[in-house]
Structures are given as C-alpha cells and as structure tokens.
C-alpha cells in the first residue's frame, strides 16, 4: 500500500499527541511551534468557547512560534526562526479553527526578517479550508506590508480575513507546501505505476541518510543504447544531466517544478523518449529533507544553509551535500560518462518570473557556450525574465552548488541555478503580474525538459528533425460532427440593383485663393481674370455675374478688347459643363440670346454652374509671421 502524506488540516502533528490532551489544551509543541494554542481574551479561563481561535503549527512543514491577542479581533503572530539559527524568519504555515461564522480577524506577522520581498509587488498569502482543499490567494486589497512604529519600525505583514464556515479548519501558508511525506508518496506512486506497466523507466536508490535519519533519494533514468561521440575530444562517452532540488526548506515551488520535470521525462511523449534513449538523468528531488520536515525557512537541522557549505561540507555535519559531491566526482572522473549539466532548482522571494544564474569564465569560448542554454530556455518559457538573469563569479556565492561545480569539475560542465518566483510573472504588457499556481510550476519543469532537446540539436549531438517529421497542427477528425448551425444565420443577401448617380459638388465660398499674378513653381503664370471692384476673391457665383455683366458689348469697344476681359477658362466658355476650346469667345446675355451669332448657334446656360476656376499656387514670404502680414501678402501677390 502506498504511503499517503497526511494533510495538516486533519490535525496530525509531527509530535505524537497523547490522549490526555484536551480540546482546551494550549501547550506548545517541540521545536518552538505552537500546538493547539487557544487564544482567550484577558481574564477569561476555562473551556474554550466558539470564537476563541485555536492556532496549530505542530505538523510537518508548519511554522508559527507565538500568537498574541492585541485587540478585539487583531492578533500579532511571531514566526519561529530556523532551528539553531535565529537569522531566518520568513516561511509560515499554520492552521486555525474554533471560529465563529462571519468572524473577522486581522493577522500581523511582526518579526519577518526579509524586508525585501514580493508582498508589495502582488504576492499575497494562500488559504484553504477543510471543505475547500484548493489553495487560493487572498485579495490584494486585504493584504498590507509596511513599517510599523509600534514594532520598532520593523516591516509587518498584515491581512484581514473573514471566516465564513465555523466548522471548517483554515490553513494559511506563504506558498503551496510540498512536504517530505508528499515527496515520498509521489515516488512510491511512480514506482507502483512502473511495476504495473512492466516497462522500467527509472531506478530509485538511496543516496544517503540525513542527520534525523531521513532518506535522500536518487532517481536515475538510464536507457542509453549507444554511446554518443563528442565533438571536443575523440572519445565516446555518455552524457549525464544532474538535477538538484530543495536545498532550501521554503522553496516548495522548486519541488513542484521538479515533479513536472520528472513526470514529463517518464511520460510517453516523443521528446521524453528521445531524451531517455540518448542521455542519463540523475535527479535528487530533495537535498534538505530535515529542514523541509521541520518547517525551516532556509537551513537544515543544525542551522546551516545547504547552498553555502559546498566547499566545507563533511560527512558528519552535511551528509547530503557530501554524498552528492562524491557522486559528481565519480561521474566526472569516469571514462564512460561526461557531465554536461548541473542544474539546482530554487524559489525566489524577491523577483518575479523564472530565470537562471550562471557563471563567468576566463575562456571566452566556454563562456559563450555557457550562454546558449539560458537563451534556448527563454524561448520555451513565456514567463522567463531575462532582466533578472545574472552571470558572475561572486566570492560570497563560492559555497553554492553552481560555483562549486564551475571550479571543481571539468570544463564541459555547465552549472546553473534555475529560480522561479514565489509570486508570479509579468504578462506581455510588462505591468500586469499573473501569480503562479501549482500548474504553473509544473509547466516550468516541462519547459526545462524540452530545452534539453533543443540544446543537443543546436550543438549537433542529436540530428535535427526532417520537415516531414515535424508534428503538424492537430485538426478535428472528419468523423467529428460539428454543431448544427442555422443556415439563415450566415446567409448573405444580394445587394439590390440600383442606378449609380453622382452627388452634385458645389464650389462656392471655398476658402482657396484662385486668382493671383504670382509665378508658379514652374515659372508660369495663371491666366488674368478681371474681378469686379469691391468684390472679394472668394465671391463665387457673384463674381460670375459681375464678370458676365462687365463683358457685355459696349460702344467703342473692339473685338480684341472684349477678348481681354476673360480667358479660355472663364465660365462663359463653358458649354453644358465642359470646356469648348475650339471656338473663339462669344458673348451672351442672360436671356439666352447672342448679339453676335445667329439663333441656331445660340448657347443657353443653366444656373448655377458648379465648376471651379483653374487653381494656382501662391508664394508667400515666410518671414512675415503675423496673421495680418500673411493676409496682405496673399492679396498683393
């Protein structure tokens, strides 16, 4: 039978509760966590009443050191520091019960040690209850992170909450917990699946024991049929990829990412099959089981940061790191194996998105090769934050896995730290933050596995797929019966047959100056046109009548003088809206009778005639900047 991890909502404590413990017990459990502590108002004793909240953190991954009632509905909560190290206080995980329906409370975490975090950037605590077992984020409007003058100007995290069901047990946590028992249950589950399926895809072995005698498991995936020839040295080796996870106890998102990576490798996906057949994977799903079980923030049982002691780790103080180092040295010194990657999975509390930390090298070619994998991973992960990526050789990080593997192992090793945020990632607009859930962490692990395939194709270790082998976009089978839709819904009605007519265009009173004696850009001049005295250049049809009246034959005028009064573009030269340039100008009166032509050749005009005169360009001195000067200049031209 599989070992199923117990849910802390069932009040299963990591310390054995005796039958003498009553409902009103307010004693504290071991390691400093509160164990069924009931907070009563001052001066109240006896059996706990409904509404007197009971706090409990004495279970696996739990962390809450103390709770004080400071108001009618306000509580100050103190986080328990890591065992043997009071420096780290950030992780919390506790349960609350014995509440009233619609009871409202305010919880203040008053001793957080990490001032720079994501609580001001969208991160909020998680909550679930016994009747709603899915983790949910608290609304941002109910969460506050600020400096409190009542707590020595320290940063305080406060949030308001209302209990809607009095029979439920509520659990609050910084991030979705991933306990040691859950990891063991998952490994037992995939082992049973492998036995039932008959195909052996991985091997589970014991790497070492912790200080509290817990298992440090090693998952090995080795189905390489033939050895792959490398490009740098003339020898045939098997390439090895090593994944480390959960060096820090509070990095539960890293465990979800590791589980997503492992599930993808053991699946029947084509990429997973190619990776299993060509490379060896060694995965350590939990490097710090003691710290995870105790609910520490960062350290192990003796208060040591497991990602800062790689250069000084010993068999007695850090047996987990010591065993991993021996495994790396053994593989690196082998003639049959070559370590290509050592990737340490972590969770970040101060930055959004997922990103990588790398190393710097004096060898330029090695450094350029070192940049390839993060670039490929950024193309697969939409939540990748390139701005947070760092490549350095910081002496302060000399004790971490990334720096140790860079200095002590062969030049072929690429060591990275893959970080994923406890909060969320930015969307395409660069402003909106989408908070992660468990599926988001699983997806990041799957993206990591896909990137390995792209990397080895990029360096020509694996052949690139042929165009015919590329998976086409999935379409619905022809046997699929689509939904019945109304035929009249998308029916296009024909347009009615109508005659096309042009709308009349009127050119009267346009604010465009057509008359000028100035020169155009080509050096030509517009024809001279007479305008009645006192009239405007923009008089439109009124000027037409005045020009027509001025052009009537008078005594003593010759035919040549009459022709000078208008040109071939005048309105009197229009016949039925068209220019007649073949004939000489003829004079007409408004009665429609000509005095110089026979009645057969008389021309009649229908008024008004909406045809504009010939436009031209007017040159204005741009040095005259005032409105009045420009107007005078336009008339003078």
């Amino acid at each position: 039978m599989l070992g199923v991890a117990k849910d802390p909502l069932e009040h299963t404590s990591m310390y054995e509760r005796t039958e003498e413990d009553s409902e009103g017990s307010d004693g504290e459990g071991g390691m400093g966590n509160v164990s069924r502590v009931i907070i009563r108002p001052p001066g109240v004793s006896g059996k706990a009443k409904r509404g007197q909240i009971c706090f409990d953190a004495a279970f696996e991954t739990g962390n809450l050191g103390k709770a004080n009632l400071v108001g009618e509905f306000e509580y100050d909560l103190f986080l328990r520091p890591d065992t043997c190290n009071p420096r780290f206080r950030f992780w919390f995980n506790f349960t609350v019960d014995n509440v009233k329906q619609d009871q409202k409370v305010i919880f203040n975490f008053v001793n957080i040690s990490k001032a720079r975090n994501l609580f001001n950037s969208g991160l909020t605590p998680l909550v679930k209850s016994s009747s709603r077992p899915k983790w949910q984020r608290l609304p941002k409007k109910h969460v506050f992170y600020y400096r409190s003058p009542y707590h020595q100007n320290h940063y305080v995290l406060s949030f308001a909450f209302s209990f809607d069901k009095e029979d439920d047990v509520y659990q609050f946590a910084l991030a979705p917990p991933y306990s040691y028992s859950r990891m063991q249950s998952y490994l037992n589950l995939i082992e049973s699946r492998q036995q039932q399926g008959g195909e052996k895809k991985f091997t589970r072995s014991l790497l070492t024991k912790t200080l509290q005698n817990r298992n440090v498991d090693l998952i090995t995936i080795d189905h390489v049929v033939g050895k792959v020839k490398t490009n740098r040295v003339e020898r045939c080796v098997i390439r090895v990829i090593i994944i480390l996870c959960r060096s820090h106890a509070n990095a539960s998102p890293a465990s979800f990412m590791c589980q997503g990576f492992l599930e993808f490798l053991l699946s029947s996906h084509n990429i997973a099959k190619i990776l299993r057949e060509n490379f060896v994977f060694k995965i350590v799903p939990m490097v710090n089981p003691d710290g995870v079980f105790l609910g520490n923030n960062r350290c192990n049982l003796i208060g040591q940061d497991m990602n800062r002691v790689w250069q000084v780790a010993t068999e007695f103080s850090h047996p987990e790191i010591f065993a991993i180092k021996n495994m790396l040295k053994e593989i690196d010194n082998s003639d049959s194996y070559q370590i290509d990657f050592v990737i340490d999975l972590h969770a970040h509390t101060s930055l959004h998105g997922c990103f990588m930390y790398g190393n710097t090298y004096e060898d330029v070619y090695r450094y350029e090769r070192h940049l390839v994998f993060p670039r490929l991973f950024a193309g697969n992960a939409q939540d990748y934050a390139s701005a947070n990526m760092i490549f350095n050789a910081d002496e302060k990080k000399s004790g971490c896995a990334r720096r140790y593997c860079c200095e002590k192992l062969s030049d072929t090793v690429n060591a990275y730290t893959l970080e994923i945020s406890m909060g969320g990632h930015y969307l395409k607009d660069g402003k909106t933050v989408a908070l992660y859930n468990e599926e988001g962490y699983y997806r990041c692990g799957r993206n990591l596995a896909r990137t390995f395939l792209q990397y080895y194709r990029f360096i020509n270790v694996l052949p690139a797929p042929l165009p015919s082998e590329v998976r086409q976009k999935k379409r619905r089978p022809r046997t699929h019966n689509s939904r019945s839709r109304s035929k009249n819904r998308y029916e296009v009605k024909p347009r009615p047959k109508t005659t096309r007519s042009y709308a009349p265009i009127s050119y009267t009173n346009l604010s465009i100056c057509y008359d000028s004696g100035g020169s155009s850009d080509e050096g030509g001049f517009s024809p001279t046109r007479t305008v009645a005295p006192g009239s405007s250049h923009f008089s439109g049809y009124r000027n037409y009548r005045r020009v027509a009246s001025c052009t009537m034959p008078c005594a003593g005028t010759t035919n040549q003088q009459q022709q000078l009064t208008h040109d071939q573009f005048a309105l009197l030269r229009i016949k039925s809206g068209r220019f007649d340039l073949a004939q000489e100008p003829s004079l007409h009166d408004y009665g429609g009778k000509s005095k110089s032509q026979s009645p057969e050749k008389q021309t009649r005009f229908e008024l008004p005639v909406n045809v504009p005169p010939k436009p031209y360009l007017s040159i204005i001195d741009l040095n005259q900047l005032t409105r009045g000067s420009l107007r005078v200049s336009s008339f003078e031209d």
Side-chain angles (χ1 to χ4, degrees):
M1 182 178 178
L2 299 180
V4 179
K6 298 296 184 180
D7 194 326
L9 295 178
E10 299 177 1
H11 286 294
T12 55
S13 173
M14 67 178 182
Y15 317 104
E16 294 293 337
R17 294 181 58 197
T18 60
E19 296 180 358
E20 290 78 8
D21 292 340
S22 63
E23 184 182 355
S25 174
D26 56 358
E28 292 192 5
M31 295 296 179
N33 281 334
V34 295
S35 177
R36 303 286 297 162
V37 174
I38 298 175
I39 306 300
R40 300 178 177 86
V44 177
S45 60
K47 188 176 181 180
K49 298 180 180 179
R50 180 68 67 176
Q52 298 177 359
I53 295 180
C54 176
F55 293 90
D56 185 22
F59 52 83
E60 186 176 357
T61 71
N63 188 308
L64 183 64
K66 187 179 180 181
N68 290 336
L69 180 64
V70 295
E72 182 180 359
F73 49 83
E74 187 173 1
Y75 298 82
D76 280 355
L77 307 181
F78 295 82
L79 304 181
R80 175 186 58 80
D82 288 1
T83 55
C84 304
N85 192 332
R87 178 183 174 186
F88 302 107
R89 302 178 306 276
F90 191 67
W91 170 260
F92 59 87
N93 183 17
F94 62 94
T95 61
V96 172
D97 65 343
N98 195 38
V99 299
K100 283 184 179 180
Q101 187 173 359
D102 298 330
Q103 181 180 359
K104 297 177 176 61
V105 296
I106 297 177
F107 290 152
N108 304 318
F109 295 94
V110 299
N111 66 334
I112 293 178
S113 63
K114 190 175 181 62
R116 180 173 174 265
N117 52 57
L118 292 173
F119 285 124
N120 281 333
S121 300
L123 178 63
T124 59
L126 292 169
V127 62
K128 72 176 183 178
S129 66
S130 52
S131 63
R132 289 155 292 184
K134 185 178 180 179
W135 288 105
Q136 298 180 14
R137 296 277 182 183
L138 294 179
K140 179 59 180 175
K141 62 181 180 180
H142 297 160
V143 181
F144 307 92
Y145 186 69
Y146 58 96
R147 285 183 180 271
S148 174
Y150 299 101
H151 300 90
Q152 301 178 358
N153 209 30
H154 291 167
Y155 280 96
V156 174
L157 172 66
S158 300
F159 64 87
F161 190 77
S162 176
F163 301 102
D164 54 352
K165 295 183 179 181
E166 63 181 18
D167 295 330
D168 277 10
V169 180
Y170 296 83
Q171 183 178 2
F172 300 90
L174 174 65
Y178 196 103
S179 63
Y180 170 77
S181 299
R182 176 169 179 170
M183 187 266 294
Q184 292 293 323
S185 300
Y186 174 70
L187 296 182
N188 294 337
L189 177 62
I190 60 177
E191 268 192 326
S192 69
R193 290 177 181 173
Q194 181 174 251
Q195 294 176 0
Q196 295 175 1
E199 181 183 1
K200 187 175 182 181
K201 296 181 180 180
F202 72 96
T203 302
R204 178 184 179 184
S205 59
L206 179 63
L207 187 61
T208 186
K209 289 280 189 176
T210 66
L211 294 177
Q212 288 190 324
N213 203 32
R214 295 188 178 89
N215 296 338
V216 178
D217 293 287
L218 175 65
I219 305 299
T220 303
I221 302 175
D222 186 358
H223 292 279
V224 179
V225 178
K227 298 180 180 179
V228 182
K229 189 174 183 179
T230 61
N231 294 329
R232 295 196 60 183
V233 292
E234 293 297 330
R235 59 179 181 137
C236 294
V237 295
I238 298 176
R239 297 174 180 266
V240 182
I241 300 170
I242 297 174
I243 305 295
L244 307 177
C245 183
R246 206 65 184 275
S247 297
H248 294 150
N250 69 343
S252 58
S255 291
F256 289 103
M257 182 166 50
C258 183
Q259 179 174 331
F261 176 80
L262 188 56
E263 285 182 350
F264 184 82
L265 280 182
L266 300 179
S267 67
S268 58
H269 198 280
N270 292 333
I271 295 178
K273 293 179 180 179
I274 295 174
L275 293 176
R276 291 197 304 264
E277 293 173 357
N278 292 276
F279 309 104
V280 174
F281 292 87
K282 289 187 175 293
I283 304 170
V284 182
M286 191 168 288
V287 177
N288 185 13
D290 288 347
V292 172
F293 185 87
L294 296 173
N296 286 350
N297 179 63
R298 194 176 180 94
C299 302
N300 63 353
L301 175 66
I302 61 176
Q304 295 290 321
D305 188 341
M306 299 290 283
N307 203 34
R308 296 293 184 272
V309 296
W310 276 71
Q311 78 280 22
V312 295
T314 63
E315 183 180 2
F316 304 101
S317 59
H318 316 92
E320 307 93 343
I321 303 299
F322 187 80
I324 296 173
K325 287 171 56 177
N326 291 338
M327 179 189 68
L328 294 175
K329 292 178 181 178
E330 181 181 356
I331 299 174
D332 191 49
N333 296 329
S334 174
D335 295 333
S336 302
Y337 295 93
Q338 172 184 301
I339 301 178
D340 280 354
F341 291 95
V342 178
I343 299 181
D344 194 10
L345 307 182
H346 286 263
H348 211 284
T349 59
S350 303
L351 297 173
H352 283 301
C354 66
F355 48 92
M356 279 188 168
Y357 291 153
N359 303 305
T360 56
Y361 305 96
E362 296 180 358
D363 186 357
V364 178
Y365 297 101
R366 185 183 181 187
Y367 181 67
E368 291 179 351
R369 187 177 71 251
H370 190 63
L371 299 176
V372 173
F373 188 81
R375 181 65 183 88
L376 295 176
F377 182 70
N380 286 330
Q382 297 181 355
D383 54 346
Y384 194 83
S386 301
N388 300 334
M389 188 168 53
I390 297 177
F391 294 85
N392 60 13
D394 191 359
E395 295 182 357
K396 296 181 180 179
K397 304 293 182 66
S398 59
C400 67
R402 169 175 58 91
R403 298 291 303 135
Y404 175 85
C405 296
C406 165
E407 297 173 357
K408 301 299 181 181
L409 300 182
S410 302
D411 295 343
T412 59
V413 178
N414 289 309
Y416 304 97
T417 300
L418 176 55
E419 300 272 0
I420 191 166
S421 176
M422 281 191 178
H425 62 92
Y426 288 102
L427 300 181
K428 292 183 179 181
D429 58 1
K431 299 178 181 179
T432 307
V433 176
L435 297 178
Y436 281 115
N437 52 17
E438 296 181 8
E439 178 58 30
Y441 297 134
Y442 291 145
R443 183 176 61 252
C444 186
R446 294 191 293 266
N447 293 334
L448 179 62
R450 292 187 178 95
T451 308
F452 283 121
L453 179 67
Q454 294 184 0
Y455 175 82
Y456 284 113
R457 283 177 174 172
F458 180 80
I459 64 174
N460 297 325
V461 172
L462 292 177
L466 297 176
S468 59
E469 298 177 0
V470 178
R471 184 178 61 178
Q472 301 293 333
K473 184 178 180 180
K474 291 185 178 180
R475 299 180 180 178
R476 290 183 177 180
R478 295 183 179 180
T479 57
H480 177 75
N481 295 326
S482 60
R483 293 180 299 174
S484 59
R485 299 178 180 178
S486 175
K487 295 182 180 180
N488 298 328
R489 181 179 178 182
Y490 298 102
E491 183 179 357
V492 179
K493 297 182 180 180
R495 293 183 56 184
K497 295 182 179 181
T498 58
T499 59
R500 180 176 297 180
S501 60
Y502 296 96
I505 302 176
S506 177
Y507 293 94
T508 59
N509 297 331
L510 294 178
S511 298
I512 303 177
C513 180
Y514 294 110
D515 301 321
S516 175
S519 62
S520 64
D521 293 341
E522 291 79 5
F525 295 87
S526 299
T528 303
R529 309 188 63 183
T530 60
V531 181
S535 65
S536 170
H537 284 70
F538 313 120
S539 300
Y541 178 64
R542 293 178 300 171
N543 283 343
Y544 163 75
R545 299 190 63 179
R546 290 174 181 174
V547 171
S549 63
C550 292
T551 57
M552 295 296 293
C554 300
T557 60
T558 63
N559 190 22
Q560 184 178 3
Q561 292 175 345
Q562 294 175 7
Q563 292 178 358
L564 293 176
T565 59
H566 62 276
D567 63 339
Q568 60 180 349
F569 297 101
L571 294 178
L572 293 177
R573 298 294 301 155
I574 300 176
K575 285 187 177 181
S576 301
R578 296 183 180 181
F579 291 107
D580 186 7
L581 304 179
Q583 299 180 1
E584 295 294 329
S586 59
L587 305 177
H588 302 272
D589 60 3
Y590 291 105
K593 296 182 180 180
S594 174
K595 295 183 181 182
S596 61
Q597 294 181 358
S598 61
E600 294 81 4
K601 297 184 179 180
Q602 291 182 357
T603 305
R604 304 181 65 84
F605 295 91
E606 295 181 2
L607 302 177
V609 180
N610 297 327
V611 178
K614 180 182 178 181
Y616 66 93
L617 297 176
S618 177
I619 299 177
I620 300 175
D621 187 3
L622 296 179
N623 293 327
Q624 300 175 350
L625 300 179
T626 62
R627 182 181 300 176
S629 300
L630 291 175
R631 183 180 299 141
V632 172
S633 175
S634 63
F635 286 113
E636 289 177 356
D637 290 342

